[in-house]
Amino acid sequence: MGRNNNVTVFILLGLFQNKNSETLCFVLFLFCYTAIWVGNLLVMISITCSQLIEQPMYFFLNYLSLSDLCCTSTVTPKLMADLLAERKVISYNNCMIQLFTTHFFGAIEIFILTGMAYDRYVAICKPLHYRVVMTRRKCNTIVAACCTGGFIHSASHFLLTIFLSFCGPNEIDHYFCDIYPLLKLSCSNTRIIGVLVIATSGLSGLVSFVTLLLSYFFILYTIRAYSAESRRRALSTCSSHVTVVVLFFAPALFIYIRPATTFPEDKVLALFYTIIAPMFNPLIYTLRNMEMQNALRKVWCRQVILKGNSPF
């Protein structure tokens, strides 16, 4: 796939070099990965099987949970397997696939979070037009645009990377294949490619983040004239989203908005948007949201009753 490529496999250095630390991390990440699947599946099933799916905010939350599952599944299983392996090896082709899928689902998540901010803006700043503006067709269009944007973003990274030459060494100082560590290994001239990566990755994330900030600026500006109780209700619908945005955007922007360099802290920061945010998102949206709590109780209590009445 690459040009003048003498490397067929890469060695991932992982998070730690200490074997005892790796064993402990395996147990920790196994718990995290299980919690990610259980939490996000509970959210998806509860929304899909209740009337919440008719509300745009929960319609987007359903897709956010799906993108969380897909994004973390491109990285976490390989990370856990490597923690128990003597040599953390990944083939060139699998490395390119991981690069594409990680950025694809990660970009979709960023765009969905931006779409959710737009939904909150319309709901609070233009409440009389909310049902007219946020129709199911409009929501489907936003999700389709998020997927298209994610594909364009990841395809651009993929195309920039496959034309790089790798002559050796082949050790990636990370726990998954990412663009900046690969640029560091390449024997090609990566200056122009590094600038293009910042333009396609860092700036797109920054534009999304600025859009989020503007949405909440207008929300705060609008509710300043509300009563204290109305302000509290309006802000309560946004607090969960703001928490998730900070968890996901802050480390991602730190890594991708700067020039094409790598720091040892990047591996730890990457855990936030590959494992920590997908694990905490269901808790954040459930613990701080009465509608989600009611939907969970109704859906799962109904399942228990149906099983109790079943003759088998």
Side-chain angles (χ1 to χ4, degrees):
M1 292 174 65
R3 291 182 177 178
N4 301 321
N5 193 1
N6 298 325
V7 174
T8 58
V9 296
F10 293 105
I11 298 173
L12 297 168
L13 297 183
L15 285 169
F16 307 104
Q17 301 299 315
N18 185 285
K19 195 64 181 176
N20 293 330
S21 297
E22 289 184 339
T23 304
L24 180 62
C25 284
F26 173 81
V27 176
L28 176 62
F29 291 141
L30 178 61
F31 169 79
C32 292
Y33 193 52
T34 304
I36 289 168
W37 270 93
V38 172
N40 284 286
L41 282 178
L42 280 174
V43 168
M44 291 169 63
I45 293 172
S46 298
I47 291 175
T48 305
C49 298
S50 69
Q51 294 182 344
L52 291 182
I53 192 66
E54 301 299 327
Q55 300 183 37
M57 182 175 76
Y58 299 103
F59 177 82
F60 291 131
L61 178 57
N62 188 48
Y63 281 98
L64 181 68
S65 293
L66 179 60
S67 64
D68 273 338
L69 284 178
C70 294
C71 185
T72 194
S73 294
T74 63
V75 173
T76 310
K78 174 63 177 170
L79 169 61
M80 292 192 298
D82 285 343
L83 288 171
L84 300 180
E86 290 295 330
R87 295 181 73 246
K88 304 169 180 58
V89 178
I90 185 170
S91 69
Y92 176 87
N93 289 343
N94 286 340
C95 183
M96 296 300 108
I97 292 172
Q98 189 181 60
L99 173 72
F100 178 86
T101 53
T102 302
H103 280 270
F104 176 60
F105 294 115
I108 288 177
E109 185 156 358
I110 286 175
F111 296 139
I112 287 178
L113 287 170
T114 308
M116 293 174 76
Y118 173 72
D119 169 70
R120 292 299 83 203
Y121 162 76
V122 177
I124 295 173
C125 299
K126 302 180 183 296
L128 298 179
H129 301 88
Y130 183 69
R131 292 186 179 276
V132 176
V133 175
M134 297 304 296
T135 61
R136 178 48 56 92
R137 181 177 181 180
K138 181 73 168 288
C139 292
N140 287 329
T141 301
I142 291 174
V143 171
C146 292
C147 295
T148 304
F151 178 81
I152 294 172
H153 167 81
S154 57
S156 64
H157 279 61
F158 179 76
L159 292 174
L160 288 173
T161 307
I162 61 171
F163 292 109
L164 293 175
S165 297
F166 295 96
C167 313
N170 64 339
E171 291 185 343
I172 299 176
D173 189 15
H174 214 307
Y175 60 89
F176 68 96
C177 289
D178 202 5
I179 185 72
Y180 282 172
L182 287 170
L183 289 178
K184 188 177 180 180
L185 288 183
S186 175
C187 52
S188 303
N189 186 349
T190 60
R191 181 175 299 178
I192 296 177
I193 294 178
V195 173
L196 292 174
V197 169
I198 295 173
T200 58
S201 184
L203 289 183
S204 63
L206 184 61
V207 168
S208 297
F209 188 65
V210 170
T211 303
L212 288 164
L213 291 179
L214 288 174
S215 298
Y216 282 104
F217 170 80
F218 287 120
I219 287 172
L220 292 174
Y221 182 80
T222 301
I223 66 174
R224 78 192 191 285
Y226 289 9
S227 65
E229 179 62 23
S230 297
R231 283 200 302 268
R232 189 193 64 79
R233 286 200 304 268
L235 290 175
S236 67
T237 64
C238 302
S239 57
S240 299
H241 184 253
V242 171
T243 306
V244 171
V245 165
V246 172
L247 268 178
F248 192 90
F249 268 85
L253 286 177
F254 176 81
I255 292 174
Y256 294 110
I257 199 63
R258 65 172 190 255
T261 56
T262 59
F263 296 123
E265 296 82 8
D266 290 352
K267 293 187 287 186
V268 177
L269 289 173
L271 290 174
F272 277 87
Y273 57 83
T274 56
I275 296 177
I276 295 175
M279 181 176 65
F280 280 104
N281 284 357
L283 287 174
I284 292 169
Y285 277 104
T286 302
L287 294 178
R288 300 177 64 89
N289 192 306
M290 287 302 299
E291 287 185 309
M292 273 300 304
Q293 293 176 26
N294 292 334
L296 282 167
R297 280 194 290 267
K298 288 179 182 178
V299 170
W300 297 104
C301 286
R302 184 164 63 241
Q303 294 298 319
V304 171
I305 293 172
L306 290 175
K307 287 185 178 179
N309 294 334
S310 175
F312 303 101

